[in-house]
């Protein structure tokens, strides 16, 4: 065709809007109840910088930032990123360990109206490129090294794999990239107002099916969750909150986490290691009052506390969550520690439950707490979606003032994970006590909760099927005395059986988080199928797990 008027220039693919939409009636209700107050991250951070200027906000390594210094650093970084050509609303992948730069970078992004996408330090090119594509990110910011890993080659791979990534900023020796310390811009360039109902960042889902999903959280909803958490966890301006788990994870970020601590004007201490020796020294030095841990670490700490040289008597609250703390382990903690135990059952998608600090021991030992909000709408249903009575286990579905209504850019996951009336299907099997406390019984879908790190069985199976010597694979969780659960891959070999170590090495080389490498590999001759045909993957995994556990007992 030769009609020039009908020719259009190729346009860049439009970027999918970030949104999170609650029904109008709920919006009105959450505002009227005072949960959503129209605050934004930038506004509260500016306010704290002005009001608590000289107080110490963040301690990491040998660095200390006062609230005023944190504000200045955030302005410099935020304005510097805009000067590089980024625009408010652009999505920026942030990947740091528990180091000094992490919090100023995130605050800088908030100041600039840029959208952080929180990667964990363990993530590698497979995960990072997936986040970059799904989020349509235009920048990547990371530290040079963490835990012996150099992030610059990863940045190079990312730029090659995802052309939308136009900017790379590295804290440390930046080589061909932009150095974090070189960023500079005028604070006047920062937007002075942002929409509190808008999405402020993208959090990463634990991922039960396939790769992790992106979780859009708004200013209003997230700020409510940690403001209310502060109240339930006893965080005040005098508190010292330690982040010993990866700071980008939702638990140490917002339950009440370092964001809650900054909101309260308290002090945040980033511990680069969760190992008791290092963390105890920091607790002593900074007089830490509150810390959040996963169960295996909590038990390790309780053990170490009995013979430590360090004075950790400042610790008032140890929170434990991310994976189930069984009553016997909870008892060991309560007996071994000279502080309060708080159970935390939460999810990056929203709902967080806490045992209350003044709850009776029986509740603290035996339940995973109750929801933050009176408006957390909890539904527990049977396999047919019918509500079950209190005391009966069922599927947990939730809706509420800080629980998302949908993932970003993932229709299939939304169809699977949300009911027609907007409730999030958590995949957790729980029962509710008469007092409204939840007891986690297990999971309905197949992911492995490895010491709080979530691994999707499907993601690892898909990967294993790419190995030339793997005919079929099923990945299951196996109870583990230390990790809670470990991952076991059952593999049917194609031709000659490869060595288990070779498979593990190969998985590691595919460039994904090390915690996803199967802990154990078991070769099978065949997988059972029923007479009618193939059984579901779910049944197959259950069957393999069962048989494995029975054999272990013999
Ligand atoms: C937290 O968040 P995610 O998104 O990494 O994982 C959520 C899932 C839950 O659906 C549940 O299966 C499991 O982790 N989980 C627990 C638990 N806490 C989380 N299972 C049993 N007992 C618990 N106490 O893990 C998270 C987010 C905010 C606060 C705390 C944990």
């Amino acid at each position: 065709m030769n009609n020039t008027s009908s020719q259009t220039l190729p346009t860049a693919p439009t970027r999918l809007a970030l949104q999170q939409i609650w029904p109008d009636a709920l919006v009105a209700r959450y505002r009227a109840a005072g949960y959503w107050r129209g605050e934004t991250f930038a506004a509260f951070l500016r306010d704290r910088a002005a009001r608590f200027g000289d107080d110490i906000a963040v301690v990491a390594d040998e660095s200390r930032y006062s609230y005023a210094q944190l504000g200045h650093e955030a302005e410099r970084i935020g304005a510097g990123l805009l000067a590089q050509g980024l625009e408010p609303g652009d999505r920026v992948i942030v990947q740091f360990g528990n180091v000094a730069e992490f919090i100023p970078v995130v605050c800088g992004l908030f100041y600039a109206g840029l959208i952080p996408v929180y990667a964990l330090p363990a993530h590698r090119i497979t995960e990072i490129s997936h986040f970059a594509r799904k989020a349509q990110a235009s920048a990547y910011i990371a530290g040079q090294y963490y835990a012996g890993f150099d992030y610059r080659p990863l940045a190079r791979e990312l730029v090659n794999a995802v052309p939308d990534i136009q900017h790379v900023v590295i804290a440390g020796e930046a080589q061909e990239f932009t150095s974090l310390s070189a960023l500079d811009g005028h604070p006047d360039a920062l937007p002075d107002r942002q929409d509190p109902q808008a999405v402020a960042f993208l959090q990463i889902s634990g991922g039960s099916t396939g790769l992790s999903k992106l979780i859009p959280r708004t200013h209003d909803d997230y700020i409510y969750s940690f403001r209310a958490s502060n109240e339930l966890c006893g965080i005040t301006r005098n508190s010292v909150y330690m982040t010993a788990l990866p700071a980008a994870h939702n638990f140490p970020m917002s339950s009440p986490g370092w964001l809650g601590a900054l909101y309260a004007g308290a002090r945040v201490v980033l511990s680069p290691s969760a190992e008791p020796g290092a963390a105890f020294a920091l607790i002593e030095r900074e007089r830490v009052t509150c810390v959040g841990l996963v169960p295996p670490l909590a038990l390790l700490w309780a053990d170490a506390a009995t013979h430590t040289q360090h004075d950790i008597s400042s610790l008032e609250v140890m929170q434990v969550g991310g994976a189930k703390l069984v009553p016997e382990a909870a008892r060991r903690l309560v007996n071994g520690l000279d502080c309060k135990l708080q159970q935390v059952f939460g999810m990056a998608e929203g709902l967080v439950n806490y045992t209350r600090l003044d709850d009776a021991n029986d509740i603290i030992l035996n339940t995973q707490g109750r929801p933050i909000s009176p408006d957390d709408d909890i539904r527990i249903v049977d396999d047919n979606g019918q509500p079950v009575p209190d005391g009966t286990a069922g599927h947990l579905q939730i809706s509420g003032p800080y629980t998302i209504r949908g993932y970003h850019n993932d229709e299939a996951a939304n169809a699977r994970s949300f009911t027609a009336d907007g409730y999030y299907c958590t995949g957790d099997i729980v029962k509710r006590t008469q007092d409204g406390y939840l007891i986690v019984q297990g999971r309905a879908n197949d992911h492995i909760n490895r010491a709080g790190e979530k691994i999707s069985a499907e993601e690892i199976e898909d990967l294993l099927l790419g190995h030339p010597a793997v005919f079929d694979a099923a990945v299951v969780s196996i109870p583990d005395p230390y990790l809670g659960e470990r991952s076991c891959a059952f593999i049917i070999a194609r031709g000659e059986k490869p060595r288990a170590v070779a498979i593990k090495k190969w998985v590691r080389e595919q460039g994904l988080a090390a915690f996803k490498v199967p802990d154990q590999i078991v070769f099978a001759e065949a997988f059972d199928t029923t007479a009618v045909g193939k059984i579901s993957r779910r049944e197959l995994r259950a069957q393999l797990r069962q048989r494995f556990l029975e054999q272990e007992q013999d």
Side-chain angles (χ1 to χ4, degrees):
M1 202 164 69
N2 210 1
N3 181 352
T4 47
S5 66
S6 73
Q7 283 183 352
T8 46
L9 289 170
T11 48
T14 42
R15 208 170 49 183
L16 206 69
L18 284 169
Q19 56 182 23
Q20 200 50 236
I21 300 172
W22 280 261
D24 289 346
L26 289 181
V27 172
R29 182 189 177 109
Y30 298 155
R31 287 206 181 122
Y35 308 141
W36 293 0
R37 297 186 182 168
E39 285 179 289
T40 63
F41 283 92
F44 100 71
L45 289 163
R46 281 214 170 86
D47 173 85
R48 303 309 183 266
R51 279 204 288 147
F52 307 141
D54 292 338
D55 292 3
I56 297 296
V58 178
V59 178
D61 311 323
E62 294 311 309
S63 314
R64 302 168 95 73
Y65 294 93
S66 68
Y67 273 89
Q69 286 167 329
L70 176 61
H72 286 135
E73 261 303 87
E75 278 185 346
R76 179 185 71 79
I77 294 169
L81 289 168
L82 296 183
Q84 293 278 311
L86 283 158
E87 290 177 11
D90 282 350
R91 296 113 204 215
V92 179
I93 297 183
V94 186
Q95 188 174 31
F96 284 94
N98 291 359
V99 295
E101 294 87 355
F102 176 64
I103 293 180
V105 164
V106 172
C107 295
L109 294 173
F110 286 146
Y111 272 27
L114 294 163
I115 308 291
V117 183
Y118 295 121
L120 294 172
H123 287 139
R124 296 292 179 259
I125 188 66
T126 305
E127 291 97 353
I128 300 293
S129 56
H130 168 71
F131 303 152
R133 288 195 189 96
K134 273 277 172 194
Q136 297 169 294
S138 37
Y140 172 72
I141 309 188
Q144 172 186 347
Y145 287 120
Y146 192 68
F149 183 78
D150 187 343
Y151 289 81
R152 294 164 301 185
L154 192 160
R156 253 164 240 138
E157 269 189 86
L158 178 65
V159 170
N160 285 332
V162 187
D164 277 358
I165 298 285
Q166 297 284 323
H167 308 271
V168 174
V169 178
I170 298 286
E173 178 48 62
Q175 297 176 332
E176 73 268 39
F177 304 118
T178 305
S179 158
L180 182 70
S181 58
L183 288 179
D184 201 11
H186 201 283
D188 282 356
L190 296 169
D192 35 71
R193 254 211 99 253
Q194 294 178 43
D195 175 4
Q197 259 190 282
V199 169
F201 61 86
L202 290 166
Q203 184 57 275
I204 305 300
S205 81
S208 50
T209 322
L211 289 163
S212 290
K213 292 160 298 265
L214 298 178
I215 301 174
R217 302 288 303 257
T218 65
H219 298 264
D220 260 340
D221 93 75
Y222 209 60
I223 291 176
Y224 167 52
S225 78
F226 56 75
R227 187 180 64 232
S229 293
N230 278 349
E231 185 98 15
L232 302 176
C233 308
I235 297 292
T236 67
R237 197 176 161 187
N238 298 323
S239 302
V240 181
Y241 176 83
M242 173 179 272
T243 302
L245 299 172
H249 188 273
N250 199 63
F251 176 20
M253 185 180 292
S254 66
S255 301
W258 55 268
L259 275 170
L262 293 181
Y263 191 89
R267 179 177 302 188
V268 177
V269 177
L270 289 171
S271 178
S273 162
E275 181 268 317
F280 286 5
L282 264 178
I283 293 178
E284 177 172 19
R285 192 182 87 189
E286 302 296 332
R287 308 301 295 153
V288 170
T289 60
C290 180
V291 65
L293 297 173
V294 290
L297 280 175
L299 291 167
L300 205 64
W301 281 39
D303 246 17
T306 58
H307 50 78
T308 180
Q309 304 297 314
H310 293 291
D311 173 9
I312 56 167
S313 60
S314 58
L315 204 55
E316 292 164 10
V317 179
M318 179 190 278
Q319 305 180 291
V320 181
K324 170 102 179 201
L325 182 67
V326 294
E328 189 42 46
R331 205 163 293 119
R332 267 171 58 199
L333 291 181
V334 167
N335 294 338
L337 288 166
D338 206 10
C339 67
K340 285 190 173 158
L341 168 66
Q342 180 172 50
Q343 292 217 37
V344 188
F345 163 40
M347 53 212 71
E349 285 81 355
L351 179 74
V352 181
N353 304 273
Y354 296 105
T355 54
R356 304 315 197 234
L357 297 179
D358 56 359
D359 274 340
N361 246 357
D362 175 45
I363 287 179
I364 294 175
L365 296 177
N366 295 304
T367 82
Q368 278 62 62
R370 63 184 162 89
I372 291 178
S373 177
D375 274 300
D376 279 323
D377 192 355
I378 303 283
R379 254 181 356 203
I380 304 177
V381 301
D382 64 18
D383 288 345
N384 301 315
Q386 295 308 306
V388 298
D390 285 348
T392 305
H395 303 267
L396 174 64
Q397 301 180 344
I398 47 175
S399 157
Y402 60 98
T403 295
I404 59 161
R405 316 288 295 188
Y407 292 111
H408 177 66
N409 195 5
D410 203 332
E411 294 290 327
N414 286 340
R416 240 184 354 251
S417 301
F418 293 85
T419 63
D421 58 350
Y423 283 63
Y424 168 58
C425 305
T426 63
D428 292 314
I429 306 289
V430 306
K431 58 186 185 189
R432 182 169 37 197
T433 68
Q434 275 181 345
D435 307 326
Y437 285 78
L438 301 181
I439 302 173
V440 181
Q441 305 283 298
R443 298 267 320 161
N445 48 26
D446 287 325
H447 80 206
I448 297 108
N449 189 335
R450 188 183 189 274
E453 311 261 32
K454 317 301 184 307
I455 306 162
S456 148
E458 192 184 290
E459 180 186 346
I460 307 308
E461 288 167 1
D462 280 353
L463 188 86
L464 286 168
L465 288 173
H467 189 290
V470 173
F471 174 72
D472 201 356
V475 177
V476 309
S477 65
I478 301 287
D480 184 274
Y482 175 65
L483 297 165
E485 292 177 8
R486 66 175 186 274
S487 64
C488 178
F490 292 89
I491 291 177
I492 302 175
R494 187 196 296 280
E496 203 181 322
K497 223 187 280 174
R499 291 179 57 213
V501 282
I503 298 264
K504 288 192 194 184
K505 181 164 172 281
W506 180 84
V507 172
R508 206 168 290 121
E509 284 165 2
Q510 301 312 297
L512 81 174
F515 64 79
K516 295 182 184 171
V517 177
D519 292 302
Q520 195 170 0
I521 290 180
V522 175
F523 287 98
E525 291 306 320
F527 292 154
D528 263 5
T529 48
T530 59
V532 206
K534 259 194 139 188
I535 56 170
S536 76
R537 300 298 295 177
R538 225 182 117 52
E539 282 172 71
L540 172 65
R541 293 183 192 117
Q543 212 181 67
L544 286 166
R545 180 189 298 113
Q546 191 56 34
R547 205 154 302 152
F548 177 87
L549 294 175
E550 281 164 12
Q551 274 173 10
E552 265 202 336
Q553 296 219 314
D554 290 345

